[in-house]
């Protein structure tokens, strides 16, 4: 690997606007990264509050607190907010903060576009959230927006569609910026295979975004024209086909899963070597595994639609293609374990979250394999088993990696160490409650409880009650994270060194903590050892 | 960020060119999908 030698850089350009103007007009990658991360955290609590409405209603059978229409709005909005408002902006926040520092660049390649990419998001989510105040309420057809159900949405439909378009534009502009930054702005001498794995996973993710988000935009545009402009893309009465929407949606939707999880792989691949005090095992195979996962993600979409009906040959193709993704994913998991093997491991909060990620994401991956087996999926489809599966992947997977990343890089961002005791308390409360929340949902699904219903048969009572208790504990434990961030940001804690962690390697750790306003005004020299 | 020397102007041009190409690819997929199903 390479070693950076900084050549006595003076950082004298720390002048920047202050107050609201700093945040509105900023073109600085760190400021924009902070904006993305704060936005993601805010949305995490809004989407989380909706999840608590769902879990409160499901605590016991019968209709308790909300009417079924509102319940369906909550499941739809919760998903849209968590996918597009929390995980995507959160990982883009990490990318904004860390990519230029990791590759020795002064900033992102297109700083003004970077500002736009972020500031589109608050408009998009205002449009989405205000639908709750409209006559007929918010969208209630599920985040997948399948017609004809979604077309029955009242006033909320155009708002949701425009919101999704804005989110898409923001994501594509962010992705273009990331590709340009990584391909054109690397420090002299840094080859592609010298880049940290977080940079690699983001390069691949950015291409996935560019290739798949326009497909979602196309699908929802066609939905809009079917509703308001007399077309029949998805209307059987006019010669269209509702199943076409599902194909188009999932052609976007499956790469989207990897858009959410690949940056998480990148974060974990930075953290585990640091706390195992060993270089990442099988770096090149990790890069190839990332690229393979991305390519395969475009040919597996119909595993979401086995029960819709398709030729046997197609079912077999999508089943085997889906199962083949387990190979590169397994490469990654074995490499993380091999990195830890005989390492001098310590378990600070980022490492705890990273190890939990490896274990719990693997559980989510295995239940995904089960769902990928076509004949078995006929039993699991649209049950709580699916809900358990994707929450293991997205909460104890993507969200845990973001928490790991937040603890790992917080001292670098703020210049102060976080409160380790509070961090560990946050971890243990989260890891216990997340399993209490989602593990019983496997049993509920296997026993036949359908997803997206506000009421259920009494036989499902016990596991639902346990799941709801887990949900509330998980939700409220996240307030500890906010407190930890506030404490660190306000300078309560030990002063962080530039390297922060004993085992940390890479260009970002050669900069002071917090780093100067402009990261590398003179590119660092990369020397090979 | 020093942008006054020739090298950095070249990088800025490369960045813009790449952004336009990627943006056009993205736009083509979007419009292409809709037109393909329309006709």
């Amino acid at each position: 690997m390479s070693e950076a030698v900084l050549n006595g850089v003076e950082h004298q350009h720390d002048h920047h606007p202050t107050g609201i103007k700093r945040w509105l007009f900023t073109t600085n990658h760190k400021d924009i990264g902070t904006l993305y991360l704060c936005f993601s955290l805010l949305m995490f609590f809004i989407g989380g509050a909706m999840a608590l409405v769902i879990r409160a209603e499901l605590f016991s059978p019968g209709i308790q607190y909300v009417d079924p229409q509102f319940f369906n709005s909550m499941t739809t909005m919760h998903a849209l907010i968590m996918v597009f408002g929390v995980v995507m902006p959160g990982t883009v926040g990490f990318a904004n903060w860390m990519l230029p520092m990791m590759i020795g660049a002064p900033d992102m390649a297109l700083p003004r576009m970077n500002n736009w990419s972020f500031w589109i998001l608050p408009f998009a989510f205002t449009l989405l959230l205000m639908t709750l105040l409209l006559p007929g309420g918010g969208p209630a057809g599920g985040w997948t927006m399948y017609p004809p159900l979604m077309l029955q949405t009242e006033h909320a439909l155009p708002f949701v569609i425009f919101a999704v378009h804005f989110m898409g534009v923001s994501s594509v502009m962010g992705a273009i910026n990331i590709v340009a930054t990584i391909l054109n702005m690397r420090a002299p001498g840094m080859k592609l295979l010298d880049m940290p794995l977080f940079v690699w996973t983001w390069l691949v993710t950015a291409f996935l975004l560019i290739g798949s988000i326009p497909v979602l935009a196309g699908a929802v545009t066609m939905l809009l024209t079917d509703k308001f402009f007399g077309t029949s893309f998805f209307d059987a009465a006019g010669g269209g086909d509702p199943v076409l929407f599902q194909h188009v949606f999932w052609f976007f939707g499956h790469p989207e899963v990897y858009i959410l999880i690949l940056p998480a792989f990148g974060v974990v691949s930075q953290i585990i070597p640091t706390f195992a005090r060993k270089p990442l095992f099988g770096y090149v195979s990790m890069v190839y595994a990332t690229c393979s996962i991305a390519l395969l993600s475009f040919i597996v979409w119909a595993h979401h639609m086995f029960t819709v009906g398709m030729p046997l040959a197609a079912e077999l193709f999508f089943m085997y293609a889906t199962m083949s993704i387990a190979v590169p994913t397994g490469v990654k998991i074995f490499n993380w374990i091999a990195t830890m093997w005989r390492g001098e491991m310590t378990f600070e909060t980022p490492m705890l979250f990273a190890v939990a990620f490896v274990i719990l994401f693997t559980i989510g991956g295995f239940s995904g394999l089960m769902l990928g087996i076509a004949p078995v999926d006929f039993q699991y489809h649209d049950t709580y088993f699916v809900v358990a599966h994707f929450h293991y992947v997205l909460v104890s997977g993507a969200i845990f990696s973001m928490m790991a990343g937040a603890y790992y890089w917080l001292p670098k961002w703020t210049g102060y160490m976080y409160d380790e005791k509070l961090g560990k308390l946050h971890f243990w409360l989260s890891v216990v409650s997340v399993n209490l929340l989602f593990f019983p949902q496997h049993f509920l699904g296997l026993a036949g409880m359908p997803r997206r219903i506000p009421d259920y048969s009494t036989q499902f009572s016990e596991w639902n009650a346990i799941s709801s208790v887990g949900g509330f504990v998980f939700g409220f434990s996240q307030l500890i994270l906010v407190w930890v961030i506030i404490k660190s940001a306000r300078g309560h804690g030990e002063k962080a060194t530039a390297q922060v962690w004993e085992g940390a390697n890479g260009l970002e750790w050669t900069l002071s903590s917090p780093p100067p306003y402009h990261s590398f005004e003179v590119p660092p020299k990369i020397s090979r050892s | 960020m020093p942008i006054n020397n020739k090298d950095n102007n070249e990088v800025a041009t490369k960045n813009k060119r790449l952004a336009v190409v990627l943006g056009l690819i993205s736009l083509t997929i979007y419009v292409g999908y809709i037109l393909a199903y329309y006709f």
Side-chain angles (χ1 to χ4, degrees):
Chain A
M1 290 298 290
S2 57
E3 181 190 317
V5 181
L6 272 175
N7 38 5
V9 182
E10 293 260 342
H11 301 287
Q12 293 172 343
H13 300 279
D14 267 11
H15 53 85
H16 51 77
T18 52
I20 188 76
K21 274 189 177 173
R22 169 179 174 183
W23 300 104
L24 274 178
F25 303 127
T26 182
T27 51
N28 183 280
H29 73 101
K30 300 183 193 81
D31 283 353
I32 295 172
T34 305
L35 285 170
Y36 267 113
L37 290 168
C38 291
F39 179 81
S40 167
L41 193 63
L42 174 69
M43 285 292 137
F44 183 51
F45 281 96
I46 294 175
M50 292 173 178
L52 293 188
V53 171
I54 295 167
R55 283 317 322 168
E57 182 56 49
L58 292 174
F59 182 79
S60 53
I63 303 293
Q64 268 77 232
Y65 306 108
V66 292
D67 68 78
Q69 174 71 17
F70 187 72
F71 181 91
N72 287 338
S73 274
M74 287 293 99
T75 57
T76 305
M77 297 281 274
H78 162 75
L80 286 169
I81 286 171
M82 289 301 193
V83 170
F84 295 104
V86 178
V87 180
M88 288 171 72
T91 53
V92 175
F94 286 125
N96 259 287
W97 250 104
M98 302 314 299
L99 288 184
M101 299 206 294
M102 284 178 165
I103 61 170
D107 205 307
M108 296 293 279
L110 304 142
R112 292 190 190 98
M113 195 166 86
N114 206 13
N115 175 292
W116 263 96
S117 304
F118 172 76
W119 279 110
I120 285 174
L121 280 180
F123 289 100
F125 282 89
T126 307
L127 270 181
L128 182 66
L129 286 168
M130 68 194 285
T131 59
L132 290 170
L133 307 173
L134 295 175
W143 85 282
T144 49
M145 298 179 275
Y146 283 0
L149 181 64
M150 193 64 183
L151 294 175
Q152 293 170 17
T153 309
E154 290 183 43
H155 302 284
L157 188 70
F159 286 79
V160 178
I161 290 176
F162 281 119
V164 170
H165 277 111
F166 279 135
M167 293 168 205
V169 169
S170 161
S171 297
V172 170
M173 291 204 309
I176 289 171
N177 215 338
I178 285 167
V179 172
T181 305
I182 297 173
L183 294 186
N184 293 343
M185 306 278 284
R186 293 193 310 281
M190 182 182 270
K191 297 195 167 130
L192 283 176
L193 283 175
D194 292 332
M195 299 191 308
L197 211 79
F198 179 71
V199 181
W200 257 109
T201 52
W202 250 112
L203 180 62
V204 174
T205 303
F207 278 113
L208 282 181
L209 279 163
I210 293 165
S212 69
I213 292 283
V215 180
L216 170 71
V220 294
T221 302
M222 288 188 269
L223 212 54
L224 189 78
T225 60
D226 269 13
K227 175 81 173 177
F228 296 105
F229 300 102
T231 58
S232 307
F233 288 107
F234 312 122
D235 181 6
D241 182 2
V243 176
L244 171 68
F245 180 87
Q246 298 188 26
H247 279 291
V248 180
F249 180 86
W250 286 114
F251 187 78
F252 144 79
H254 205 77
E256 171 67 17
V257 173
Y258 294 99
I259 287 165
L260 302 175
I261 205 67
L262 286 182
F265 290 169
V267 172
V268 169
S269 301
Q270 297 301 125
I271 292 172
I272 289 179
T274 296
F275 293 98
R277 291 164 180 79
K278 277 173 66 189
L280 184 69
F281 185 88
Y283 167 85
V284 178
S285 68
M286 292 292 248
V287 171
Y288 285 120
T290 307
C291 298
S292 314
I293 291 172
L295 289 174
L296 286 169
S297 75
F298 280 107
I299 57 161
V300 296
W301 76 91
H303 67 212
H304 296 269
M305 304 163 52
F306 283 143
T307 59
V308 170
M310 66 182 89
L312 184 63
E315 294 217 344
L316 284 171
F317 170 79
F318 286 109
M319 181 171 85
Y320 289 124
T322 302
M323 297 181 92
S324 67
I325 295 191
V327 177
T329 312
V331 167
K332 282 180 171 288
I333 288 164
F334 283 120
N335 280 348
W336 289 322
I337 294 169
T339 306
M340 289 188 267
W341 180 254
R342 294 190 173 172
E344 290 177 40
M345 299 224 287
T346 50
F347 293 94
E348 286 87 345
T349 311
M351 184 62 163
L352 287 173
F353 272 109
V355 172
F357 167 92
V358 174
I359 298 166
L360 300 178
F361 172 79
T362 306
I363 294 177
F366 273 126
S367 58
L369 269 183
M370 292 166 73
L371 287 161
I373 302 169
V376 183
D377 183 64
F378 274 72
Q379 184 194 338
Y380 303 152
H381 186 82
D382 261 348
T383 69
Y384 255 82
F385 191 85
V386 182
V387 179
H389 154 69
F390 66 71
H391 280 96
Y392 262 86
V393 172
L394 292 179
V395 181
S396 51
I399 298 278
F400 267 33
S401 86
M402 286 165 65
M403 285 170 183
Y407 282 107
Y408 184 54
W409 286 311
L410 200 59
K412 171 58 64 186
W413 297 338
T414 63
Y416 291 92
M417 296 304 287
Y418 61 85
D419 187 327
E420 188 65 46
K421 271 188 190 161
L422 282 179
K424 285 199 165 117
L425 176 70
H426 174 225
F427 168 75
W428 284 111
L429 280 171
S430 295
V431 81
V432 171
S433 60
V434 87
N435 283 294
L436 208 59
L437 167 57
F438 296 122
F439 209 83
Q441 294 180 3
H442 291 110
F443 309 142
L444 289 168
L446 290 176
M449 179 170 160
R451 59 190 289 206
R452 292 173 176 157
I453 51 157
D455 189 10
Y456 51 82
S457 167
T458 50
Q459 64 183 325
F460 304 126
S461 303
E462 286 81 4
W463 288 125
N464 266 303
I466 291 169
S467 180
S468 291
V469 169
F472 276 86
V473 176
F474 182 77
F476 284 101
S477 352
Q478 303 320 309
L479 295 172
I480 301 172
L481 174 67
V482 178
W483 182 235
V484 168
I485 293 170
I486 290 171
K487 270 184 81 176
S488 180
R490 296 184 70 180
H492 297 292
E494 204 182 309
K495 191 85 188 74
T497 60
Q499 198 191 3
V500 182
W501 309 106
E502 185 196 10
N505 277 307
L507 287 178
E508 71 273 30
W509 305 108
T510 61
L511 292 168
S512 59
S513 302
Y517 195 64
H518 296 293
S519 301
F520 289 100
E521 290 183 79
V522 176
K525 285 178 187 155
I526 309 291
S527 64
R528 271 157 215 292
S529 53
Chain B
M1 179 181 175
I3 54 164
N4 297 327
N5 62 54
K6 194 183 164 205
D7 282 347
N8 278 300
N9 280 336
E10 273 175 18
V11 173
T13 310
K14 269 171 76 181
N15 287 339
K16 282 178 197 155
R17 201 176 294 147
L18 183 59
V20 170
V21 170
L22 294 172
L24 284 175
I25 290 173
S26 172
L27 206 58
T28 309
I29 297 172
Y30 171 61
V31 178
Y33 251 90
I34 298 172
L35 291 180
Y37 290 123
Y38 189 76
F39 292 109

